[in-house]
Amino acid sequence: MQIITTQKEGNNLFTHSDLTMNNQCIKKLHLIFVILSSLIAIDLHAQDYLPQNYSLIFGGGLALSAVEGNKNDFFSKNGDRPGYALMAEGRYYVTPNLALGAQYDYLRAAHLPDKMHVHYIGPTVTLRTLWDNGNKSVCFALGIGYMDYRERVYQSDMDHGHLYQKSYCGISFGLGYEFSITKKMSGVLRLDMLTADWVANPDARLFNTDDYDDGIDHSWFKNNITFFNLGFALQFGR
């Protein structure tokens, strides 16, 4: 009877030991596949690190103002209204923890029909601390550059207003938290501060050029026009 059963099976002849060997082979192949997948995942994760050679950053967010208003200006009329901020920055990393670069910011706030906007551009020095195999960092940036302030404010119940434009020596401070997203892209949570002297120091004078003391502090670091920009940016580089 056993011989007849074997003949009926024909090419499908198999034994219990054959099934056992096949199962063992499948288990070994599965184990090898799991190990290789783990090694590939570890290798890819090891390559996801923040830029350490150069980078380009683009972002935006909320702009909050803290301004000592002058007579009939945008802030005296409308208060410290929030607006929006756009920014772009380029960095060249001298070391993984030190970068030199340049930053551009555009700020705008409006309470129609009144509106104001600010352009700022200047060089920056960035210091940062890396951890998690270079995938995360906290950075601090400092810059001194050119700030252009413009506003258009209309008088109450009138169809015309005044246009004001002035250039300042601006100072920028930045604090950011960086985290890797992919191999060449990372995210940045940013808090930037732009500040300048609204009236006393429009031309970055360190002393009075007149023959009399006007009683005004002409220090570079005296400020009464300040903007805080809170937002998110994407960083591309390697």
Side-chain angles (χ1 to χ4, degrees), residues 138-179:
V138 170
C139 58
F140 172 77
L142 173 65
I144 298 178
Y146 171 79
M147 179 187 289
D148 178 76
Y149 175 90
R150 300 187 184 194
E151 69 175 31
R152 182 179 292 278
V153 179
Y154 291 83
Q155 300 179 14
S156 301
D157 302 325
M158 306 225 17
D159 293 333
H160 67 275
H162 73 269
L163 177 65
Y164 176 82
Q165 185 273 332
K166 192 66 178 179
S167 299
Y168 299 91
C169 174
I171 302 174
S172 68
F173 301 91
L175 185 64
Y177 168 68
E178 303 176 330
F179 54 94

Side-chain angles (χ1 to χ4, degrees), residues 22-83:
N22 288 335
N23 288 336
Q24 289 177 350
C25 291
I26 292 173
K27 290 180 179 179
K28 289 180 180 180
L29 289 174
H30 179 71
L31 179 61
I32 293 173
F33 176 77
V34 170
I35 293 174
L36 290 175
S37 299
S38 301
L39 291 175
I40 292 173
I42 293 173
D43 184 63
L44 289 175
H45 178 73
Q47 293 178 3
D48 290 344
Y49 51 81
L50 296 173
Q52 298 183 13
N53 295 321
Y54 61 85
S55 67
L56 293 175
I57 303 172
F58 304 94
L62 179 67
L64 302 174
S65 59
V67 178
E68 296 179 13
N70 295 308
K71 185 178 180 180
N72 297 324
D73 64 36
F74 177 87
F75 299 100
S76 294
K77 182 180 177 182
N78 301 293
D80 292 331
R81 300 191 62 82

